[in-house]
Amino acid sequence: MSDKMCPLSFSSTLNWIYGELKKDNSIFGIHRDSFVLRNLDSSLELFDHKLGIPIGPAAGPHTQLTQNLVSAYLTGGRFFELKTVQIMDELEISKPCIDAQDECYNIEWSQELKVDQSIDEYIKAWLIIHFLNSLFNSNRELQIIFNISVGYDLKGIQSEKINYFIETLKDASKYPSFLKWKEELISFSKIIFHDDKFLANNNVKSTNEELVSAVDCVSPRISNSMTLSTMHGCPPDEIEAIANYLLTEKKIHTFIKLNPTLLGYEFVKSTLKNLGYNYLTLSESSFERDLNLNDAKRIVANLKSKAEEQNLTFGVKLSNTLPVQNYKNYLKDKEMYLSGRALYPLTINLAKLITETFGCDISISYSGGANLLNTIDILSTGIAPITYATDLLKPGGYLRLKSIAEKILSLQIEPQSNLNIESISKLAENSLTESVYQKHSRKANSIKLNKPLPVTDCFIAPCVEACPINQDVPEYISLISQNRFEDAFNLITSKNSLPHITGYICDHQCMFHCTRIDYDKSVEIRELKKQAALNGYNELANDINSNSISVAIIGAGPSGLSAAYFLAKSGFDVTVFEHEMNAGGIVKNVIPHFRLPESAIEKDIQFVERIGVRFVFGADYNFSIERLKAEGYKYIYLAIGAAKSQTSGITSIDSEILNAVGFLWEYRQNGDHKLGEKVAVIGGGNSAMDSARAALRCSGVKEVSIVYRRTVEQMPADKEEYEAAIDDGVLFKELLQPIDFSDGKLKCRKMQLGEIQKDGRRGVTPVENKFEHLEMDSIISAIGEIVDAEILSKNKLTFNGEKSAATATNLENVFIGGDARRGAATVVEAIADGRNAADQIMLKENLSSKEYSPSNLSTERKIGKGIVDFNYGKDITTEAQRCLMCNYECNKCVDVCPNRANIVIKTSGGGLFKDKNQILHIDSFCNECGNCETFCPYAGAPYKEKFTFFRNEVEMQESANPGFCVIDTEIKIRKVRGSEIEIYSESDSKVDLLIKELMTNYRYILAN
């Protein structure tokens, strides 16, 4: 495929809008119910125009094509900062060019259309937005501003090409297409007003006469304002000369975009480090090349005076992106430009610096890191307008703009005449410590799954796929949202034998892969499971039909309990042998009470016991498998756990180094341990957090430090366990590797961050001859546990080297799973192994497990509604309602594409599709930015792998995508990516049904 976009003609755009409105009550995927057509009662006055809502898309991927600008208008955008144009308009930009996974990076910095194409797109959008406003709003004033942007040097801006661009958008009355397109709009309105059904379905209130009159009156004066975008390193005198030219020669209101580098290298570096972005490498030279504060003072003062002389508005735009070293290697350039939430603390502090320098009478427009969370606060300071790029690249897309617009409209934000310096300073100060801007507030960067992307039927729930037991997460959450706790509990326990325990200590991979992360914050899935267990648990025994087949399970930890539960529920006679005097394993005997209450453990053990599982406690693990078989046990499952700590690697002659398991075991039994006043815990996982928190609760302990050879951001501990340790007062000492403990001193080798590794993390290397000595009374090593393999070797038991699910061994009918197979693993992985072993045993007996199917299960679809809500967790029901039910619909690739190059096709039948919503890729709209690949849950790229519509055969030949094109009456098709193009012939495949649907009900998409 080509990475060059090919805009639709004006008439094809109108036909698309009409066809989509008629079929689906939507325009470019924005449903009629999501249109934001109101304005504020008291509008902002800017550039001699009214601005209905002081927000819109920033110069970037959302302001290149007509459909981008129309989509932004429909969702509440009123200020359009058009994509920057420059004299060099045939650039070869490396693709992909955007990586918005969390904080955003890009390597594209100018328009990807030729200048004359950009003129066409902006005029087309201007006319269509006016037309739609008149169609749906009758005589209501539009109140929008198109703000143009040019770069990057004075010579280029003074060129004939860019001068023509500026003058045409200042006054398009002499532009040939302007009048032609107005006439097309008038003819188009006649078509609409002959379609009574269309008028009724779309709530059209204007008359044909009113619409024609409104079109006729559309002003040719499209823009009288400019945001000057200068590249990093542009000389100060050049910036001033360009702005002077724009003010005095072009007579145009002018803002200049300022860079975060104005804050200085040390401030920017320390701020990013303190916020957890210490993996970013800045170049000091970029700060030296960029505008400094003294030059900025001079330039801004001069330009303010010049603007006043011309009776024009001058201001500053905050802020440009920040150049950083490319550490990810996803984008191809050596340097990439940072934006998004990491940029907000820098940009709002730049606003503070500007107001401290120039006072409250300077105009500021804002972009860096703006989103729903901070927009109201920013507007309340008097800063306006606010534009967005990174936020609109996230799932929800343009509908995020709708969320922001509706919040502004509901609060009726009043425009401020002057900046509130005190409010700006407060925002700037708070931004440096607020957790939402800190990197560690987001555990996972990606929710991607290691599965190939299908051509059709690609919707998937990442939470279910990431869960080792494939728990029916969306379904049980839906039941909770309806207060059907018993149904939710029964659904959970159809796959999970320990719902109370996992409600407290599951490592919740589901939450790390929750689609909601990319909107605001993961749904609290683990907490909801706990509530289902607490509110849905009943003590009635199940009615089990015995099959008289005996099974011995060695180990009563989570894996053994899981296998016992599922086998007993299916009628097996199950005996669990445990060498301790209780069931639960490490969960029962090691994990501290403050993290996992006794009541949760007891309920789950009773839950397993009540279906007839027998326990033999105090069992000798020095047994013979052959003897168990001789005693009548047909099947044996080994789940002996990993309770042996790894050696610490720390030398110590006169002091004992405690292992975490032993320490926590004693603490769980006695609630105390003699440690002294100062304790160090070595490690960075959950065991380290547990050990540190338990140590703080021991008598006499005054200070506990976790010592870790990497940085806090690289610790494997769950985010909430780390935060709980912080709240308890645990200290963290990073980049230290303990090597010796003698005479009450822990000797640590100092470490430093090294080169970027393949996983994107920095490695750590020793600092030569640099050590730190920490005074400590006790050391606890929490660097992992291993399996005591003696029982395995004694029975000559072997199995393949995979460390995933439970499996059969070399001995007939003997299975192994949990820690005994994987090494130290999570509770839910152990549960999954137990279930897997039970399934394998049932399969050998031609039996199957019983699944629970609740009746009247709601499958309401919420994806694509742009739901962004930072007021999460109010109550159980509200939290459950935040689930997006993405096992029934996804469409993320549709949301995140600025150009609408991925669209939903609603199939009307055929029976082959799992779901009626299918994705079609439009080749001519795509510039291969890569954003859909970033957010697709699969290990795939929709822009390369989804079924594609090509507008001509040339496009098709330049691509390897599966897809088709229509040439006169002939259809050509490529069925599989990379295969040959062939003449289409009907078949019974899904692709065939998709083409038939398009040819029958989506003809408006196929027009050139």
Side-chain angles (χ1 to χ4, degrees), residues 496-729:
N496 181 355
S497 57
L498 306 177
H500 294 87
I501 291 171
T502 52
Y504 283 93
I505 63 167
C506 180
D507 72 327
H508 54 61
Q509 290 301 312
C510 55
M511 289 175 61
F512 298 147
H513 289 78
C514 177
T515 299
R516 190 89 212 190
I517 287 175
D518 290 325
Y519 286 82
D520 35 55
K521 180 184 177 184
S522 168
V523 175
E524 294 290 340
I525 300 172
R526 186 173 70 182
E527 178 63 24
L528 291 171
K529 177 168 55 184
K530 181 172 76 177
Q531 293 302 324
L534 294 173
N535 292 282
Y537 177 77
N538 65 71
E539 298 182 358
L540 297 176
N542 291 314
D543 186 18
I544 305 295
N545 294 320
S546 175
N547 61 27
S548 301
I549 302 171
S550 294
V551 181
I553 294 176
I554 315 303
S559 193
L561 290 172
S562 176
Y565 170 77
F566 289 109
L567 287 168
K569 196 166 77 164
S570 295
F572 290 82
D573 184 9
V574 181
T575 302
V576 180
F577 295 90
E578 169 58 52
H579 73 321
E580 296 297 328
M581 297 308 295
N582 52 41
I586 285 181
V587 166
K588 169 75 174 178
N589 298 303
V590 173
I591 295 177
H593 293 89
F594 55 75
R595 188 168 163 218
L596 177 62
E598 188 72 26
S599 60
I601 303 170
E602 291 305 316
K603 281 185 178 179
D604 280 349
I605 293 172
Q606 290 167 14
F607 182 63
V608 174
E609 280 183 311
R610 78 184 190 190
I611 58 173
V613 174
R614 291 189 301 277
F615 290 91
V616 177
F617 296 119
D620 184 2
Y621 273 9
N622 188 27
F623 62 85
S624 163
I625 288 176
E626 289 302 318
R627 191 186 75 210
L628 285 172
K629 287 185 175 181
E631 292 175 358
Y633 294 103
K634 183 175 181 180
Y635 296 99
I636 297 168
Y637 179 51
L638 292 172
I640 56 176
K644 185 177 180 181
S645 290
Q646 295 191 60
T647 56
S648 66
I650 304 172
T651 60
S652 180
I653 299 173
D654 59 353
S655 303
E656 178 188 5
I657 296 176
L658 304 172
N659 69 69
V661 172
F663 163 68
L664 289 170
W665 193 288
E666 183 171 336
Y667 177 81
R668 177 87 189 201
Q669 314 313 312
N670 304 320
D672 205 356
H673 198 294
K674 188 175 181 180
L675 297 170
E677 293 186 356
K678 301 181 78 173
V679 182
V681 177
I682 315 303
N686 285 344
S687 292
M689 304 302 135
D690 285 346
S691 299
R693 296 178 67 198
L696 269 176
R697 289 165 168 80
C698 292
S699 55
V701 173
K702 295 182 178 179
E703 182 181 291
V704 175
S705 300
I706 285 181
V707 182
Y708 189 54
R709 64 186 290 267
R710 292 180 176 271
T711 62
V712 166
E713 291 75 27
Q714 295 175 321
M715 285 182 173
D718 292 345
K719 173 176 170 282
E720 58 264 36
E721 302 307 327
Y722 163 74
E723 289 177 345
I726 289 284
D727 291 343
D728 280 358

Side-chain angles (χ1 to χ4, degrees), residues 448-492:
K448 274 190 171 292
L449 304 164
N450 189 26
K451 296 185 73 171
L453 173 64
V455 174
T456 58
D457 283 334
C458 57
F459 61 92
I460 195 170
C463 58
V464 177
E465 294 291 326
C467 175
I469 56 176
N470 296 125
Q471 187 79 72
D472 312 273
V473 175
E475 286 85 356
Y476 82 66
I477 289 180
S478 176
L479 292 167
I480 292 170
S481 72
Q482 302 168 58
N483 292 314
R484 295 168 61 185
F485 291 103
E486 188 170 342
D487 278 336
F489 179 79
N490 290 335
L491 184 58
I492 290 167

